[in-house]
């Protein structure tokens, strides 16, 4: 993130498992879980995902702020 000059307050970590959600949070980032991946919605929510999306369109809308 330093090399890209990315701002943690505007960076979203996206993954499909509880490990991804925890990784994002440990980096100080908001984390979004995608329910169509390795793990389902329940595990992502239990891990504390800030967002859980069910489709690529929902993910795009979240990223674009729509």
């Amino acid at each position: 993130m330093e090399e890209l000059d990315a701002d943690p307050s505007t960076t979203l970590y996206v993954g499909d498992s509880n490990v991804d959600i925890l990784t994002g949070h440990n980096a100080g980032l908001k984390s979004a879980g995608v329910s169509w991946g390795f793990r389902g919605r329940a595990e992502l929510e239990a891990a504390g995902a800030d967002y859980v999306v069910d489709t690529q369109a929902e993910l795009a809308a979240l990223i674009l702020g729509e």
Side-chain angles (χ1 to χ4, degrees):
M1 290 183 58
E2 284 181 22
E3 286 183 28
L4 296 173
D5 198 28
D7 180 356
S9 70
T10 59
T11 300
L12 180 67
Y13 194 97
V14 179
D16 64 354
S17 74
N18 59 334
V19 173
D20 294 323
I21 301 305
L22 297 173
T23 299
H25 286 169
N26 285 338
L29 306 172
K30 295 268 185 177
S31 296
V34 296
S35 65
W36 65 85
F38 183 62
R39 302 287 186 197
R41 174 178 283 279
E43 181 174 310
L44 297 167
E45 289 174 347
D50 297 292
Y51 311 96
V52 178
V53 295
D54 296 314
T55 67
Q56 292 175 354
E58 288 179 18
L59 179 59
L62 175 63
I63 292 169
L64 297 173
E66 296 175 355

